[in-house]
Amino acid sequence: MQFNSENYTIKEITLNGNTLTYRAFNDIPYVMNPINPEFQKLSIYVPENYYHDKSINSYTLKTAPIFMPNGVGGYMPSEIEEPGYARFGKPGTINSLFWALHHGYVVVSPAIRGRSQKNEAGKFTGKAPACLVDYKAAVRYLHANAHLVPGDTNKIITNGTSAGGALSSLMATTIDHPDFEPFLEEIEAFNSTDKIFAASCYCPITNLEHADMAYEWQFNSVPHYSRKKMVMTDGGRPSFSAEDGELTELQFALSGQLKALFPDYLNNLHLMDSNGDPLLLDADGKGSFVDYLGKLLLASAKKENVDVASIPWLDESGKLDIDGFACDITRMKTPPAFDDITGHSPENDLFGDQTISCKHFTTFSYEHSTGGVELADMDVVKMLNPMHYIDDEKATTAQHIRIRHGQRDRDTSLAISAILAAKLRQSGADVDYQSPWGVEHAGDYDLEELFDWIDRISK
């Protein structure tokens, strides 16, 4: 399990006129007792110039930050990625691994278990918290081999999108917490640390116990939904077909009940803005928290030189009409958005166990269940929510966290990332939080800005 610096392949790749030469240390096991050996391994990529006494952006072989993206989406398994074209998004888009190496970072790409995996006996092996446990184990491997691996293990920066963004936020907030030790011991991860320096989190699908109520707080006034169903083509790329509809009478009722629960949850968090003023909602879902989001969106519009006078739901002072905003970007999901009352959403699938595929993870949906689905172990549900760990003295938090939630993102409520950012800022973390104008549910769309942030905090 010791890193072997002699076991590598030199690769050269040219994409869109950009040539990259790097060393690839491939398929390194990061635990000693893997449950899914083909997934519990990682690859390390290093700019070849570092082995010829050259520097890139003032970095060297031992001082370069370690960029550690995960490819998790929908809490599904994620294979090791290589520098090249992005697996998802527009054809011809170059992935973050290529550009990170080009910029001078060492890149570590871990494979991570996901909710759909089974072993030969037919038992599930990737249900929660396996995805986070594997990510932690991969970081522990780097720290255990800190004197051997390329790059600066004191400057590990995780990165992910959607469920992967949630994992990145969890890596930043659950560092060395004892809740995860039994799972790490089971796979014989290194007895080192899972400390990271910083986390980049694109549109994190997190805080799942409260995501349903936050979604209906934002979209309750929108009766029509519009979304795209994804299917995989024979070539392994996603294909989408449109699906539109109106909420049923039952869904309207559920939406109203969930919306009514959100103000109490938010108010009990005792959040404050950067000036120390409380962020609150009244019983109707209005208040200073809405103003907080309005200022966030106003800053986003001004950054892109959008004429604020042309936006009917936002004014120059940052006053936000939350219902008008929701109607503009439109509803994507039907209530409950995550813990489906039938018990068959991707998130229900995440919280199953070795023998049961899907479980409810909120008491609300469990009490309204139409599918006869069990309630998940709430201790496990807790492990996938960074909000539970930010003030926990048994965990430490990464120094720097960057969160991006697109202004037109409808996969989860804008409130979820705003709450996370506010809570982290109150805890003393350095938080860079924005809602980029016109951006939908996506990640890695501003790599130049991301790398500027990494350089700023690393140098």
Side-chain angles (χ1 to χ4, degrees):
M1 296 295 291
Q2 181 171 289
F3 175 74
N4 182 359
S5 62
E6 301 301 319
N7 187 14
Y8 63 86
T9 303
I10 297 178
K11 296 186 176 183
E12 183 172 286
I13 182 173
T14 299
L15 301 177
N16 301 354
N18 299 280
T19 299
L20 174 70
T21 305
Y22 65 96
R23 290 193 185 189
F25 302 86
N26 287 321
D27 298 328
I28 303 168
Y30 55 74
V31 296
M32 287 173 275
N33 183 33
I35 294 173
N36 290 91
E38 69 276 21
F39 275 84
Q40 292 168 302
K41 58 186 181 179
L42 58 81
S43 291
I44 301 175
Y45 309 118
V46 189
E48 178 61 18
N49 277 344
Y50 285 155
Y51 294 95
H52 301 277
D53 296 326
K54 295 181 180 179
S55 64
I56 305 173
N57 291 328
S58 78
Y59 297 123
T60 66
L61 181 65
K62 294 308 294 182
T63 65
I66 297 175
F67 183 64
M68 195 172 185
N70 73 77
V72 172
Y75 290 101
M76 293 291 282
S78 173
E79 298 178 349
I80 289 174
E81 290 191 77
E82 295 186 1
Y85 289 115
R87 292 187 300 171
F88 303 109
K90 295 180 180 179
T93 301
I94 300 174
N95 66 21
S96 66
L97 288 77
F98 180 98
W99 289 123
L101 287 166
H102 197 272
H103 193 78
Y105 304 144
V106 169
V107 174
V108 176
S109 178
I112 292 173
R113 286 175 293 162
R115 58 184 169 86
S116 63
Q117 286 176 298
K118 293 182 178 181
N119 60 18
E120 293 179 354
K123 291 187 176 181
F124 291 104
T125 57
K127 301 297 186 185
C131 51
L132 180 55
V133 170
D134 282 358
Y135 214 176
K136 285 177 171 288
V139 169
R140 289 190 173 199
Y141 172 87
L142 297 177
H143 282 294
N145 286 275
H147 60 299
L148 298 172
V149 298
D152 184 353
T153 54
N154 291 316
K155 297 288 173 61
I156 297 173
I157 298 102
T158 57
N159 181 61
T161 298
S162 193
L167 288 185
S168 190
S169 73
L170 283 156
M171 290 296 292
T173 53
T174 64
I175 295 171
D176 293 337
H177 195 282
D179 278 356
F180 302 91
E181 287 303 323
F183 301 93
L184 290 161
E185 289 174 4
E186 178 188 17
I187 58 177
E188 295 185 32
F190 278 94
N191 185 24
S192 53
T193 176
D194 44 73
K195 182 179 181 180
I196 65 168
F197 175 64
S200 164
C201 317
Y202 287 98
C203 51
I205 298 294
T206 188
N207 199 351
L208 294 172
E209 306 103 290
H210 307 101
D212 289 332
M213 59 180 72
Y215 201 88
E216 297 314 314
W217 167 78
Q218 181 169 333
F219 291 102
N220 174 255
S221 62
V222 185
H224 179 83
Y225 63 88
S226 175
R227 57 194 176 199
K228 295 180 180 179
K229 294 182 68 175
M230 184 181 77
V231 294
M232 299 303 291
T233 65
D234 292 340
R237 295 191 66 84
S239 176
F240 297 91
S241 60
E243 182 182 33
D244 296 83
E246 302 289 327
L247 298 189
T248 65
E249 186 176 338
L250 172 60
Q251 289 168 340
F252 266 123
L254 293 171
S255 176
Q257 293 175 58
L258 285 164
K259 176 186 176 181
L261 294 173
F262 186 64
D264 277 348
Y265 167 67
L266 179 93
N267 294 341
N268 285 329
L269 291 173
H270 305 292
L271 299 176
M272 295 179 288
D273 64 16
S274 57
N275 296 319
D277 296 323
L279 300 177
L280 300 169
L281 292 173
D282 60 25
D284 294 326
K286 303 296 191 293
S288 56
F289 182 70
V290 178
D291 299 333
Y292 171 66
L293 297 183
K295 290 181 174 61
L296 174 75
L297 295 170
L298 178 64
S300 175
K302 289 188 172 181
K303 182 178 179 181
E304 294 300 317
N305 295 316
V306 175
D307 180 9
V308 179
S310 69
I311 308 171
W313 42 264
L314 186 67
D315 69 17
E316 285 284 357
S317 70
K319 183 175 176 58
L320 173 65
D321 172 6
I322 189 69
D323 293 334
F325 170 53
C327 288
D328 180 22
I329 66 173
T330 72
R331 171 191 285 272
M332 175 182 169
K333 298 180 178 181
T334 55
F338 298 93
D339 192 355
D340 195 304
I341 58 173
T342 68
H344 290 93
S345 73
E347 290 76 22
N348 290 130
D349 192 31
L350 171 66
F351 290 112
D353 59 28
Q354 285 190 332
T355 58
I356 298 174
S357 175
C358 297
K359 292 187 180 184
H360 288 300
F361 51 90
T362 66
T363 54
F364 181 92
S365 289
Y366 178 65
E367 291 169 356
H368 291 82
S369 181
T370 62
V373 177
E374 294 181 15
L375 186 64
D377 182 343
M378 298 309 289
D379 287 336
V380 173
V381 177
K382 169 196 170 187
M383 289 186 217
L384 269 290
N385 187 350
M387 295 295 293
H388 293 303
Y389 292 93
I390 294 170
D391 289 334
D392 191 329
E393 293 181 355
K394 296 177 183 177
T396 55
T397 300
Q399 297 177 47
H400 310 278
I401 297 98
R402 184 180 193 264
I403 303 172
R404 293 294 183 270
H405 179 112
Q407 173 257 330
R408 299 197 69 85
D409 191 336
R410 308 172 301 146
D411 280 58
T412 193
S413 171
L414 178 60
I416 292 298
S417 60
I419 287 169
L420 177 61
K423 183 73 171 176
L424 284 165
R425 191 174 287 118
Q426 278 179 238
S427 75
D430 169 37
V431 181
D432 183 333
Y433 175 50
Q434 295 180 26
S435 180
W437 194 263
V439 173
E440 299 183 352
H441 194 68
D444 293 350
Y445 44 77
D446 60 348
L447 290 178
E448 186 174 347
E449 287 189 20
L450 172 61
F451 295 164
D452 283 347
W453 174 75
I454 292 174
D455 288 345
R456 187 170 63 254
I457 61 175
S458 297
K459 294 180 180 180

